[in-house]
Amino acid sequence: MKPAEFYQRDRRLQPPALTPDYKTSVARSPRYSMISLQNSLSEITGPVFGHSDIDPIDNDLIKNYAKDGDPVGERIIVHGRVLDENARPVPNTMVEIWQANAGGRYRHKKDTYLAPIDPNFGGCGRTLTDENGYYFFRTIKPGAYPWRNWVNNWRPAHIHVSVFGTGFVQRLITQLYFEGDPLIPICPIVKTIPDPDAIQQLIAKLDMNATIPLDSIAYKFDIVLRGRRSTLFENRLEGN
Amino acid sequence: MEQKLDYLRETASQTAGPYVHIGLAPGAAGFDIYRQELGWDIAGPNAGGERIRVEGLVMDGMGSPVKDVLLEVWQANSKGIYAHPEGGGEVEDGFRGWGRVITDFETGEWGFDTVKPGPIVPRGKLTSGVARKVQDTHPDWQGRSSERFAPMAPHLNLWIVARGINIGLNTRMYFEDEAEANASDPVLNLIEWENRRATLIAKRQERDGKPVYRFDIRLQGENETVFFDI
């Protein structure tokens, strides 16, 4: 593909920096406006990863830290596609996830929540999308956990998701939530997003068609990265 | 009713949260899980150019170091070429141009070793389609060609995520000892307030004969770092 710019980020759907109900954002949000920057080679390029960077088991959180058995909790499959705003698949891109265990406890030395660590659960995984932009993970459904924001705030069950795309402008970290979770609409972090449709887009849907009977429940979560301009009015339509 | 545009919409960002290390730097979170973590070797042993170290702090609006930050760097090699199919050419074997570092949990200091990048080809050449045709032929655009086609001074592209940061912050680090190139850099010159340009320029020091660039990032308040909507 000929080098071309990406569509500008739609800041009306993205969370602004300052969202006071999420208290940590108050001191960590710039006060001046961002400087808008037309894409250059510095923005349209980005790191490239290959299968030599990872191991096949890296996307299986049920097995990738198992010591003496499987982790405890609801066995799930999280799967979907990474697409761009033109609905084209983004192949061979790195997707990384991390999460708490079934009790809402992270395997992190800074997490001191009283729910116990699961000796057989690490809580991170990574994979590359295939040629159709498809990815999947096998894991345990994470639990909700409390956090010090208001006196009684609980995060909905969520999985953190990090995606690269092909250009540094597409770099994205987000969180996956689960269909039907009543904590979603009252979470100050979810509510940093001003656009209700954009919130819905973060909620993975129960996918009975991908569920493996007597084994694992499946949730579908498609990820959309920024789209890229086509080269219009030239002899050959590229990319379309 | 009007026709509908059938574009998809970008997935909304959410903060990386306090435990970003579990996923992106599990060794720092206190456990080994992967054969290798990503982003620790930016340039590889074969890369040409000057070997440098880059260090700094990220500070919040109170002036306190942010101790749970994760930074990613994306840079060209010493010839100004990115390790990407559209990066402008071939790079040295093993040169990745991408790095990922976290801050020390106690001090908030971060740092990485790399090579100093070269100047990068101009941004105007990327314009495509209708916009390109207009810019190339319409007289109103001719005067802007110097901005569009000036090479960019050597720089690192940085992306910062942390608890309390709802969407990753993009900035650039330029080099103090590239004053001439910086003065004509089209991106620095986009910043209307000349005093703010200085927030993007790392200070050069020497330690044990090795160049160390100091780059502190202020998220908010006095000398707030310039962030870009890229």
Side-chain angles (χ1 to χ4, degrees):
Chain A
M1 193 189 283
K2 189 171 169 176
E5 296 154 78
F6 286 80
Y7 303 143
Q8 71 166 24
R9 182 160 261 158
D10 187 347
R11 295 280 173 179
R12 296 167 302 182
L13 79 82
Q14 293 291 350
L18 175 61
T19 49
D21 281 353
Y22 174 28
K23 293 184 180 182
T24 314
S25 78
V26 174
R28 294 186 174 190
S29 47
R31 285 292 173 270
Y32 294 124
S33 302
M34 286 182 283
I35 305 290
S36 296
L37 188 57
Q38 184 188 344
N39 286 177
S40 71
L41 210 55
S42 297
E43 287 81 32
I44 67 158
T45 58
V48 177
F49 300 101
H51 288 281
S52 61
D53 290 317
I54 59 175
D55 289 324
I57 199 175
D58 287 353
N59 72 340
D60 185 352
L61 284 71
I62 290 180
K63 295 294 182 195
N64 72 6
Y65 200 74
K67 303 297 181 199
D68 56 7
D70 285 351
V72 172
E74 188 175 336
R75 297 161 61 90
I76 64 170
I77 291 162
V78 171
H79 76 120
R81 296 176 79 197
V82 180
L83 303 166
D84 70 12
E85 289 169 301
N86 298 314
R88 284 194 284 252
V90 184
N92 306 314
T93 199
M94 183 75 76
V95 181
E96 298 164 288
I97 65 168
W98 69 99
Q99 62 167 95
N101 67 22
R105 174 74 183 268
Y106 283 95
R107 183 177 284 280
H108 190 294
K109 53 189 175 192
K110 295 276 176 185
D111 187 358
T112 54
Y113 179 37
L114 51 79
I117 290 282
D118 184 328
N120 294 308
F121 191 69
C124 63
R126 56 190 185 181
T127 191
L128 290 171
T129 58
D130 71 8
E131 66 276 15
N132 299 311
Y134 184 79
Y135 76 91
F136 74 93
F137 292 95
R138 197 163 76 128
T139 186
I140 295 294
K141 190 175 177 189
Y145 70 87
W147 57 301
R148 292 182 187 279
N149 189 60
W150 297 332
V151 170
N152 187 21
N153 267 141
W154 293 75
R155 294 302 324 283
H158 64 278
I159 297 176
H160 296 267
V161 182
S162 163
V163 198
F164 280 86
T166 58
F168 209 50
V169 289
Q170 288 177 305
R171 191 78 182 82
L172 182 74
I173 283 182
T174 187
Q175 298 181 28
L176 170 164
Y177 303 100
F178 293 90
E179 182 182 3
D181 187 338
L183 289 167
I184 295 171
I186 58 172
C187 174
I189 289 180
V190 173
K191 291 169 81 172
T192 61
I193 300 169
D195 183 309
D197 292 336
I199 291 175
Q200 293 302 311
Q201 205 171 315
L202 295 188
I203 302 176
K205 201 161 174 67
L206 175 66
D207 183 357
M208 288 305 290
N209 289 351
T211 289
I212 302 173
L214 307 178
D215 183 327
S216 300
I217 290 176
Y219 284 88
K220 186 160 188 287
F221 187 69
D222 287 339
I223 300 160
V224 181
L225 302 180
R226 288 165 66 179
R228 202 168 188 197
R229 290 187 201 288
S230 301
T231 309
L232 298 171
F233 298 112
E234 292 187 0
N235 292 337
R236 193 162 59 90
L237 279 179
E238 293 183 59
N240 278 339
Chain B
M1 205 176 137
E2 304 95 332
Q3 294 188 11
K4 273 193 168 171
L5 289 174
D6 58 0
Y7 297 108
L8 302 180
R9 301 175 84 211
E10 188 189 19
T11 298
S13 171
Q14 291 271 263
T15 178
Y19 305 125
V20 59
H21 320 93
I22 284 190
L24 307 188
F31 68 112
D32 285 324
I33 187 164
Y34 294 140
R35 170 169 50 89
Q36 58 170 352
E37 291 189 15
L38 296 170
W40 294 97
D41 187 6
I42 301 172
N46 303 318
E50 188 180 24
R51 295 273 155 181
I52 62 169
R53 181 162 179 82
V54 177
E55 293 178 349
L57 277 175
V58 177
M59 278 166 285
D60 68 15
M62 319 288 183
S64 299
V66 180
K67 297 174 182 174
D68 49 13
V69 142
L70 181 131
L71 289 98
E72 289 186 357
V73 54
W74 175 239
Q75 67 162 94
N77 72 1
S78 61
K79 307 256 190 271
I81 297 167
Y82 283 102
H84 185 273
E86 299 167 14
E90 295 289 316
V91 295
E92 301 90 340
D93 196 30
F95 178 85
R96 191 139 224 183
W98 174 76
R100 175 184 272 173
V101 294
I102 60 153
T103 48
D104 183 280
F105 290 144
E106 305 306 320
T107 65
E109 292 275 352
W110 54 268
F112 52 83
D113 296 300
T114 185
V115 296
K116 193 174 174 187
I120 317 290
V121 299
R123 63 204 181 101
K125 286 191 176 161
L126 294 178
T127 306
S128 57
V130 176
R132 176 67 182 266
K133 287 202 184 304
V134 171
Q135 289 187 16
D136 284 353
T137 56
H138 198 282
D140 287 353
W141 282 93
Q142 308 281 312
R144 300 195 188 188
S145 61
S146 61
E147 178 199 316
R148 287 172 55 220
F149 296 116
M152 293 189 286
H155 64 275
L156 308 177
N157 305 288
L158 296 173
W159 186 72
I160 302 156
V161 295
R163 176 171 68 102
I165 296 177
N166 291 324
I167 183 164
L169 293 167
N170 289 99
T171 188
R172 286 185 173 198
M173 188 197 103
Y174 288 83
F175 298 84
E176 181 183 38
D177 52 333
E178 297 284 344
E180 197 179 327
N182 291 343
S184 60
D185 179 81
V187 173
L188 287 172
N189 284 310
L190 270 180
I191 305 165
E192 175 182 348
W193 308 275
E194 289 184 33
N195 57 332
R196 296 203 69 204
R197 296 175 194 168
T199 68
L200 301 186
I201 296 172
K203 297 267 189 291
R204 184 178 170 117
Q205 309 159 346
E206 298 269 333
R207 189 188 305 144
D208 304 330
K210 190 181 173 186
V212 178
Y213 288 90
R214 178 80 194 182
F215 190 61
D216 290 331
I217 296 166
R218 291 175 178 79
L219 296 177
Q220 184 192 102
E222 197 178 348
N223 294 317
E224 181 178 299
T225 299
V226 170
F227 297 102
F228 294 103
D229 188 6
I230 64 174

